[in-house]
Amino acid sequence: MRLEVERFSYGPDAIAHAPDGRVVFVSGAVPGDTVEAHVTKETARSLRATCTQVLEPSPYRVKSRCPYSEVCGGCPWASASYDFQLSAKRENVVSSLMRIGRFGQEHAQQLVAPAQACGESWGYRNKIELAVARQGQRTIVGMHPAKGAAPIKVDRCLLLDPVAEKLVKGVSGALSYVASSHQLELERVGIRASRRTRDIEVALWTSPGAFPRAHMAKVLGDAAKPTSVVRVLSKGPQKARKVTGVEVLSGTGSWSERILDETLRVSAPSFFQVNTKGADKLVHLVLEGLNPCEDDLAMDLYSGAGTFTVPLARRCAFVDAVESYGPAVRDLRRNLEMNSIDNGDPVGGDADREFPDSEADVIVVDPPRAGLAASVVEKLSRQPARAIAYVSCDPATLARDLERFVAQGVFEPVSITPVDLFPQTFHVENVTILKRRD
């Protein structure tokens, strides 16, 4: 099938239209390309296809810096110029506001600022995860594939900070070596590395059971010189596994990073932004949008390990923080204590059930990809706050929630800033500032 590629989807593929009008999701293509594509799946409304030949290259097409980008799932947009990636991400946010949030085109275009870059478009990640699979008697450790199940063996990952990119090869080799004499039952492997604190952590995710703790710590220590090696124990169904404990195999047992002027310590199961310079920019935009004062009462929902709680506590009289994930709650309490902050109250639990019984002046919400429950939007709309900063990692759920805020008639969005924490991918973070209506 010959296709004229039109735009990127909010996903790894580009979008074209078949001669009969059906949408075609094309992998390996860049908007503006004319391609030959092989259809891999067909439904009544759409097709999926793989680019087999670029007949006429797009003006936005570039040669990917990563030799594995066509087979590895880590950088699906690597063949598009970075300026075009930024433009496409902004347009995806505008499109979501129009299609899902029911904003008019002019209003959506006015709300969404140009997407902001966060330093380098390669070598920006402080964390990657390696996939693990058994092939006969061998254990294969590598990057997650774009398609299929077998991990992609690589020498280095160009998305990882250059000070740590060689860790991929060292850690993969060390794990394969230990696996040759032990049944490891590894599920995945996390590597975190900080240029600012020089911390390196290797986290091994496994089921409970026997494990060569000392041998693993020794081999990984020789291969990667980590400051921390931990084993994260989890069990349950594959799509709903729960962490049951963390064993420290060597070192500090956690990883630290510095965001602006604050140092935070994070345990392996806890979420932390993978782009440190991007996290700096998020905090800056949130503080700029809220303009907190020293006598303000602040609220931080879905607070995680304290990325926003700690800087808010420096500037406000008090912060009510709510986080549902147990390891993150423990990290938040430790970070408040470590930074000598006593004007914050971390509460563990669901944001709806544990919604603070207080009247906030400024509010931050940074929910997971699912966004805010409708009941949380209602409770936020009853707050006397002058401003809310909504940090979102999914344009679709952001658009849905902004429609709900508008329907409540109390707060309205005044600006949406896409922040590119994930170059070479379709993902984008957004900082939305909502202000109380006059």
Side-chain angles (χ1 to χ4, degrees):
M1 183 177 288
R2 181 186 175 101
L3 297 171
E4 307 286 337
V5 183
E6 301 160 18
R7 60 184 175 87
F8 273 134
S9 68
Y10 184 71
D13 300 328
I15 289 177
H17 281 84
D20 63 6
R22 284 183 293 175
V23 172
V24 186
F25 295 92
V26 193
S27 66
V30 170
D33 282 343
T34 300
V35 302
E36 191 78 21
H38 172 68
V39 176
T40 58
K41 186 176 180 180
E42 185 173 356
T43 70
R45 298 180 61 184
S46 66
L47 304 165
R48 290 202 172 271
T50 299
C51 172
T52 54
Q53 183 181 0
V54 178
L55 303 175
E56 297 176 24
S58 165
Y60 310 115
R61 177 174 281 278
V62 298
K63 181 176 174 58
S64 170
R65 283 178 54 181
C66 177
Y68 307 103
S69 59
E70 292 186 2
V71 292
C72 173
C75 42
W77 282 18
S79 294
S81 72
Y82 188 51
D83 285 345
F84 183 74
Q85 291 182 38
L86 291 174
S87 174
K89 291 184 181 190
R90 179 187 181 274
E91 287 308 308
N92 275 341
V93 177
V94 170
S95 175
S96 291
L97 288 177
M98 293 166 57
R99 291 183 298 103
I100 301 169
R102 302 182 187 180
F103 286 77
Q105 182 176 5
E106 184 177 354
H107 189 194
Q109 291 285 358
Q110 289 174 346
L111 280 175
V112 184
Q116 295 194 14
C118 305
E120 297 298 321
S121 60
W122 292 90
Y124 61 86
R125 290 184 70 100
N126 58 44
K127 178 188 177 182
I128 61 169
E129 284 198 351
L130 302 178
V132 183
R134 294 283 295 180
Q135 291 184 352
Q137 298 300 310
R138 299 173 59 220
T139 295
I140 308 299
V141 182
M143 304 301 293
H144 291 271
K147 296 178 181 178
I152 307 298
K153 291 184 66 65
V154 302
D155 290 334
R156 57 182 180 152
C157 174
L158 294 180
L159 294 181
L160 191 60
D161 190 304
V163 301
E165 64 181 23
K166 293 182 180 178
L167 288 175
V168 174
K169 184 177 181 180
V171 170
S172 298
L175 294 175
S176 297
Y177 172 74
V178 176
S180 66
S181 57
H182 295 83
Q183 191 73 19
L184 295 181
E185 300 298 336
L186 285 173
E187 298 167 3
R188 55 191 166 107
V189 179
I191 301 174
R192 275 176 166 155
S194 169
R195 175 182 291 269
R196 296 176 178 180
T197 67
R198 299 295 177 180
D199 273 9
I200 295 172
E201 181 172 77
V202 179
L204 311 172
W205 293 69
T206 79
S207 298
F211 195 79
R213 297 172 179 83
H215 189 196
M216 181 65 80
K218 174 67 168 60
V219 174
L220 282 174
D222 292 341
K225 304 296 187 291
T227 54
S228 173
V229 178
V230 298
R231 178 191 180 201
V232 182
L233 305 173
S234 62
K235 62 181 181 180
Q238 191 63 38
K239 292 186 177 180
R241 292 185 69 78
K242 294 185 180 299
V243 172
T244 59
V246 177
E247 294 180 351
V248 180
L249 304 187
S250 69
T252 58
S254 60
W255 177 79
S256 69
E257 182 60 295
R258 194 158 53 246
I259 303 297
L260 294 180
D261 299 325
E262 309 292 350
T263 299
L264 302 178
R265 187 159 284 280
V266 185
S267 60
S270 290
F271 169 80
F272 197 77
Q273 295 290 0
V274 300
N275 186 327
T276 301
K277 289 183 179 179
D280 287 343
K281 187 153 289 191
L282 294 181
V283 173
H284 172 76
L285 287 168
V286 165
L287 295 177
E288 181 181 59
L290 294 181
N291 191 24
C293 304
E294 62 181 11
D295 58 349
D296 278 344
L297 176 61
M299 185 184 298
D300 184 8
L301 303 185
Y302 317 92
S303 60
T307 301
F308 300 108
T309 308
V310 172
L312 279 173
R314 298 286 193 203
R315 294 160 175 81
C316 296
F318 198 82
V319 183
D320 286 304
V322 181
E323 169 58 46
S324 63
Y325 191 48
V329 176
R330 291 189 287 273
D331 288 341
L332 174 56
R333 288 171 178 154
R334 175 173 56 189
N335 285 326
L336 292 175
E337 182 179 356
M338 184 176 73
N339 287 283
S340 302
I341 293 173
D342 59 5
N343 61 329
D345 180 23
V347 174
D350 176 76
D352 189 9
R353 291 194 297 270
E354 301 295 338
F355 197 92
D357 184 18
S358 59
E359 295 188 342
D361 298 293
V362 291
I363 299 171
V364 180
V365 293
D366 184 9
R369 194 169 301 280
L372 302 172
S375 55
V376 172
V377 173
E378 293 174 7
K379 290 179 179 179
L380 288 167
S381 298
R382 293 199 290 269
Q383 284 287 307
R386 62 178 181 271
I388 298 173
Y390 185 163
V391 182
S392 167
C393 61
D394 189 302
T397 55
L398 172 66
R400 178 203 66 197
D401 293 345
L402 292 183
E403 183 186 24
R404 290 171 174 173
F405 272 111
V406 171
Q408 291 290 320
V410 180
F411 292 97
E412 61 182 351
V414 296
S415 67
I416 302 172
T417 306
V419 183
D420 190 19
L421 270 69
F422 315 98
Q424 317 310 328
T425 81
F426 60 90
H427 297 289
V428 65
E429 205 85 2
N430 289 281
V431 177
T432 301
I433 303 299
L434 299 103
K435 294 287 183 71
R436 179 173 292 279
R437 289 182 171 177
D438 292 336

